[in-house]
Structure formats: C-alpha cells, structure tokens
Amino acid sequence: MNLKLYYRSPVIWNIVLYIILSLVFIYFQEIYRHASSILVKELFISFVKNNIYILSIFILTILSMFTVCKKLTNLLLISSISLTSILTVMNLMNEFSKFSLIILFIYLLVAFYLIQFYNVDIKESYYNPLFGKNLLFDPMLKQIPVKIYKDDNEIGQGYLTNWSEEGCFIYLEEPTLLKGKVEVMVSYMQSEFKQKAYIVAALKGKNGYGVKFQFNSKKGENLNSLGWKQFYEIIEEMGLKPELLK
C-alpha cells in the first residue's frame, strides 16, 4: 500500500520501546553469564559481533513499525520475541535463574497484549483506504460527501471510503497536499457534521487521506453543533458499513 504515515500511535512507540528493552534484556543475560559489568566495552563489542543477525532482525522490526504492512510487521515482531525467548531459555538451561524465568514470563505476557493492541490499532479506518491505486472506477457506490477546511478556508472535497469511531479515510476528487490540523465537514441526510481532526496518513498520489478526530472540548467551541460522534451514531443505527457500500 502506497500510504505515508504522519502519525505514530502510542501503541507503535510502546512496541518500539519493547523491542529495545528486549535487546537490553538479552545483553544483561550476557553480562550475568560472564559475571561481568555493563561498563566493560570489550564485552559489548563481542556481543554485537556475535549477534549481528539478531540485531538486524530487531532493527528491521523497529523500522517496520512505521509502515502499514501488517503481515511483515507481525512476522518480524514475532521473530524478535521468539529469538529473545529462545536465547533466554538456552541461557536458563546452561545456568538456571529464577529471576530470569520470572522476567521471561512477564516479557511474554506483555508481548501477547502488545501484539493484540497493535492488530487493533492497524485496523483503524484512517490507516485503511479500502481502495487501491489501480482502481478503474471511483470507490464506493454510495458516496457520503466530505469537505475539508483549514483556517475556515475550504481546501478539499471528496467522500468517505472508510470510517470508525476514532477517524475516517477520505477520497479526494482532486489530488491536494494536506498536512496538520484540519476541520472535516460531512454532509448526510440534509445535515452537516463538523469535527476537528489531524491528518495521520496519506496516499502518495495525494488523492486520499486518513484523519483522526479530536474530541476534547476547547474554549470557544460550539458544543451544540453536530460532530462526528453524532454522525457515527446515525450510520451505526442505520447499519451502514464501509464494506457494504463498495
């Protein structure tokens, strides 16, 4: 998918931190096994040289977190977790440690939940256009019109191709460069629904953007106006789903 990300969710950053800590965990086992100190430079150099392939997989896993290729990221993430677990088990077989065993259990428990959170996050509407670059016809048989504003000026028109409670993906009638904070106005059933949002993803052709909505009330904001939550409630009650409209 030719999708560029402008926003990385906390889930992504937590997984990146987790991978870095996995490497630290392996290195500390090496220190413990050699009864050495973290300050010994020679041990660190030796560790890097002897584990260059493992380090490469860890680096690739971190880099893959900043893409939307779910299959590749899941494969690399599971590989990194498996390598850490296998090396820990091998070290435990050579020299048993209750502390390492407890850490391994916690490590695997956290890994399980992080993978679940990642799979939920990557399925969000603003990461999934539901149409490809080689599409011969306009996506969606039923088109829900959308206008995009910045500083009260209209900067784009299009319609929804995917949506969820937290955001949506918009197909633009004309390719336009969009970044930063915007205001999205959805027209439906002779009503207008306005919501502040920020661009989180964009197709390379600049004809499609994923937006994540801001729901925090700010001073001076019209709380009586219809927003995304009201629109989402209406289409949910009507049973409208993006996959039913393609």
Side-chain angles (χ1 to χ4, degrees):
M1 187 187 302
N2 293 319
L3 196 65
K4 180 179 180 181
L5 300 184
Y6 294 120
Y7 166 82
R8 277 79 177 177
S9 70
V11 174
I12 302 296
W13 290 114
N14 286 335
I15 294 177
V16 170
L17 178 61
Y18 179 80
I19 296 300
I20 294 172
L21 290 176
S22 299
L23 185 58
V24 173
F25 180 40
I26 294 173
Y27 182 55
F28 270 75
Q29 290 181 60
E30 190 78 3
I31 293 173
Y32 177 78
R33 192 162 63 89
H34 288 86
S36 185
S37 167
I38 194 173
L39 300 175
V40 178
K41 183 178 178 181
E42 290 75 14
L43 180 63
F44 177 76
I45 294 172
S46 175
F47 172 78
V48 171
K49 287 181 178 179
N50 294 332
N51 296 278
I52 191 68
Y53 296 111
I54 295 174
L55 290 172
S56 299
I57 292 175
F58 276 55
I59 292 170
L60 286 174
T61 303
I62 291 173
L63 293 176
S64 73
M65 295 309 304
F66 301 108
T67 70
V68 287
C69 186
K70 180 182 172 183
K71 290 183 179 179
L72 176 62
T73 302
N74 271 330
L75 177 62
L76 289 170
L77 183 57
I78 291 172
S79 298
S80 297
I81 293 168
S82 300
L83 281 171
T84 304
S85 303
I86 291 169
L87 288 172
T88 302
V89 170
M90 290 174 62
N91 288 331
L92 285 171
M93 291 176 65
N94 292 328
E95 189 173 352
F96 183 77
S97 168
K98 287 185 179 180
F99 180 73
S100 295
L101 187 62
I102 293 171
I103 294 296
L104 178 60
F105 173 76
I106 297 172
Y107 175 84
L108 292 174
L109 188 65
V110 173
F112 173 79
Y113 283 105
L114 281 178
I115 291 174
Q116 301 306 313
F117 290 143
Y118 171 75
N119 287 330
V120 170
D121 183 69
I122 204 65
K123 289 178 182 177
E124 275 291 347
S125 59
Y126 40 79
Y127 292 141
N128 296 281
L130 290 188
F131 63 90
K133 64 178 181 178
N134 297 321
L135 198 66
L136 296 177
F137 305 99
D138 288 345
M140 313 296 285
L141 295 176
K142 181 176 177 61
Q143 298 177 355
I144 301 175
V146 176
K147 291 182 180 179
I148 302 175
Y149 294 86
K150 195 176 185 70
D151 300 326
D152 296 325
N153 297 316
E154 184 181 313
I155 56 175
Q157 291 187 19
Y159 50 87
L160 299 177
T161 63
N162 198 3
W163 59 79
S164 61
E165 194 170 357
E166 299 296 323
C168 66
F169 206 95
I170 301 169
Y171 178 84
L172 295 182
E173 295 175 353
E174 297 290 338
T176 309
L177 178 60
L178 302 178
K179 279 188 179 182
K181 294 183 179 181
V182 295
E183 185 175 45
V184 175
M185 186 183 77
V186 181
S187 299
Y188 190 67
M189 296 180 66
Q190 298 181 339
S191 296
E192 294 180 343
F193 305 84
K194 295 181 180 179
Q195 190 69 49
K196 293 186 182 299
Y198 50 96
I199 305 295
V200 298
L203 291 175
K204 290 186 177 179
K206 300 175 184 177
N207 63 330
Y209 289 88
V211 301
K212 183 176 173 64
F213 293 116
Q214 294 178 314
F215 295 110
N216 295 331
S217 298
K218 294 184 179 180
K219 197 172 182 180
E221 187 176 328
N222 185 5
L223 299 179
N224 295 319
S225 64
L226 294 174
W228 179 259
K229 287 185 177 180
Q230 288 76 22
F231 169 73
Y232 188 77
E233 287 173 4
I234 291 172
I235 59 175
E236 279 288 290
E237 289 176 3
M238 294 180 67
L240 295 179
K241 300 290 182 183
E243 60 267 21
L244 297 179
L245 303 180
K246 290 190 287 183

